[in-house]
Amino acid sequence: MGMPNSEACALDAASSALCAANQSTGPTHLAEARGASSVISILNLSKTYASGFEALKHIDLEIRKGEIFALLGPNGAGKTTLISIVCGILTPTVGTVCADGHDILRDYRAARSKIGLVPQELTTDAFETVWATVTFSRGLFGHAPNPAYIEKLLRELSLWDKRKTMIKELSGGMKRRVMIAKALSHEPEILFLDEPTAGVDVELRRDMWALVRALRDSGVTIILTTHYIDEAEEMADRIGVISKGELILVEEKAALMKKLGKKQLTLNLTQPMTAIPHQLGDWNLKLKAEGYELEYNFDTKTERTGIPALLRQMSDLGIGFNDLNTRQSSLEDIFVSLVSEPKGGEQ
């Protein structure tokens, strides 16, 4: 039997109110976006398949309007599942997702009209021209033809000179630009990029980075998934890390690197050491380069780094060094440490 009309209406009203409010109160990840206009609101989102596999577990997330948000995670972490649910490709088991105030299930036409998706795989008609395939994509969303907009879009993506060229004749980089044009053809406010530079050369990656920034500057909100940590480090305003279906962290990029970043001090010794003296045990040092280097990792957040005391103790022990250098941990170091940390109870 179907749900009683009164109960269904109550659920619709509750969902609409939740979307309209952009979840202004709630879990930590939602509170972080408070004070900023949210264009995507995700609350208690889970996806469990018939086999019992939990692809997503209670995801709470707000995406701010006009930002570049990078979603990082190892293979199988749930990145594509999350994107697919927001874009209407998969149905969630439980939870609420709103795109620009529209519930993706109850108001799916309006929600999907706000979203453009550039998938990782290049899927388009090889025998269509660039102009035809982009124009067709616009029509799929019920938009009237707008040659002036399509021309503007193709020019901005450096595709205008290729407008009469068939897709099969384009380079890989140009095909990826066509996929972006198709995703933007219906003038969405939100653009999902799933591994946008996978398999492209370094020069094209730089071009794509510049293109993504230009889109953000034009008012489009960008959500990208990537395996390239330097890509997130280069472009993202905020970063989310997902692992085993759980969103384990959402943070401003600069704050993340400051909060979780560590520095590494390397001392080049004048004489090699075969073992670290027990008097230096408090610093958890590592011996490298066949005994010619001492490595010390210290936390940048603490008032006392321990370096002056270490150098004094080395002097007292007659351990000399002729050079030293420091290195700040990268986003990649932070990411690896996050996804490799076992959760409570795990081995």
Side-chain angles (χ1 to χ4, degrees):
M1 290 182 62
M3 185 183 295
N5 288 339
S6 59
E7 188 175 345
C9 289
L11 281 173
D12 287 344
S15 175
S16 298
L18 192 61
C19 288
N22 276 325
Q23 287 87 28
S24 58
T25 60
T28 304
H29 297 320
L30 306 186
E32 287 176 357
R34 197 174 299 164
S37 176
S38 297
V39 72
I40 292 179
S41 300
I42 300 171
L43 182 64
N44 195 33
L45 182 69
S46 295
K47 176 64 178 179
T48 304
Y49 288 96
S51 64
F53 174 68
E54 290 184 280
L56 294 176
K57 305 171 187 177
H58 310 294
I59 301 293
D60 293 309
L61 178 63
E62 294 268 355
I63 306 295
R64 300 169 183 165
K65 191 176 184 65
E67 75 172 338
I68 298 177
F69 185 89
L71 185 63
L72 304 179
N75 287 331
K79 303 186 299 296
T80 299
T81 300
L82 179 57
I83 285 181
S84 297
I85 289 175
V86 177
C87 294
I89 299 170
L90 292 176
T91 303
T93 303
V94 296
T96 302
V97 180
C98 302
D100 199 28
H102 301 284
D103 187 285
I104 62 164
L105 297 179
R106 295 182 173 85
D107 196 9
Y108 66 92
R109 289 188 184 276
R112 292 178 194 176
S113 71
K114 301 290 184 178
I115 297 171
L117 169 64
V118 182
Q120 181 177 350
E121 300 297 327
L122 299 174
T123 53
T124 190
D125 191 336
F127 295 94
E128 285 283 4
T129 65
V130 170
W131 179 272
T133 194
V134 175
T135 301
F136 179 74
S137 292
R138 179 180 176 85
L140 289 175
F141 286 85
H143 287 256
N146 188 340
Y149 174 75
I150 300 298
E151 178 179 346
K152 174 177 176 290
L153 182 60
L154 295 183
R155 288 187 183 278
E156 288 176 348
L157 293 171
S158 302
L159 287 170
W160 181 246
D161 292 342
K162 304 288 186 181
R163 65 190 182 280
K164 296 180 182 179
T165 304
M166 284 194 292
I167 303 299
K168 68 184 183 69
E169 298 172 1
L170 297 176
S171 67
M174 283 297 176
K175 287 178 182 176
R176 204 163 286 277
R177 288 174 184 264
V178 171
M179 296 299 292
I180 295 175
K182 285 164 61 69
L184 293 172
S185 63
H186 61 288
E187 303 173 62
E189 298 178 18
I190 306 159
L191 183 65
F192 283 90
L193 298 168
D194 194 5
E195 300 287 349
T197 61
V200 302
D201 60 44
V202 174
E203 184 176 356
L204 181 56
R205 284 180 69 197
R206 298 283 179 182
D207 290 343
M208 293 293 291
W209 292 355
L211 175 59
V212 168
R213 290 193 194 94
L215 289 171
R216 191 267 306 273
D217 292 343
S218 71
V220 178
T221 301
I222 309 288
I223 300 96
L224 66 91
T225 70
T226 180
H227 283 104
Y228 297 112
I229 308 299
D230 60 331
E231 193 161 69
E233 193 165 0
E234 176 75 20
M235 292 194 299
D237 299 306
R238 285 195 306 151
I239 289 170
V241 178
I242 188 169
S243 180
K244 298 179 182 178
E246 297 183 69
L247 192 63
I248 60 177
L249 179 141
V250 175
E251 188 71 83
E252 299 281 348
K253 178 182 66 181
L256 172 64
M257 298 187 71
K258 182 177 180 181
K259 183 163 70 175
L260 296 181
K262 294 178 182 277
K263 279 194 172 180
Q264 185 181 90
L265 171 70
T266 301
L267 296 159
N268 298 99
L269 305 178
T270 55
Q271 296 293 328
M273 296 172 57
T274 57
I276 297 173
H278 68 86
Q279 294 94 332
L280 300 179
D282 291 343
W283 288 269
N284 195 26
L285 303 173
K286 294 179 182 177
L287 200 55
K288 294 193 170 183
E290 299 181 346
Y292 278 95
E293 289 182 359
L294 268 183
E295 183 181 281
Y296 171 50
N297 291 293
F298 59 96
D299 195 334
T300 57
K301 303 188 298 292
T302 58
E303 291 184 12
R304 298 180 184 274
T305 63
I307 292 175
L310 170 62
L311 298 181
R312 284 195 299 270
Q313 185 65 53
M314 288 176 62
S315 177
D316 291 344
L317 294 172
I319 301 172
F321 62 93
N322 51 31
D323 195 12
L324 62 84
N325 62 76
T326 59
R327 171 183 171 270
Q328 175 76 44
S329 58
S330 67
L331 181 59
E332 182 170 4
D333 298 327
I334 295 169
F335 169 72
V336 170
S337 68
L338 284 170
V339 299
S340 62
E341 285 178 0
K343 299 184 74 64
E346 290 186 13
Q347 297 297 319

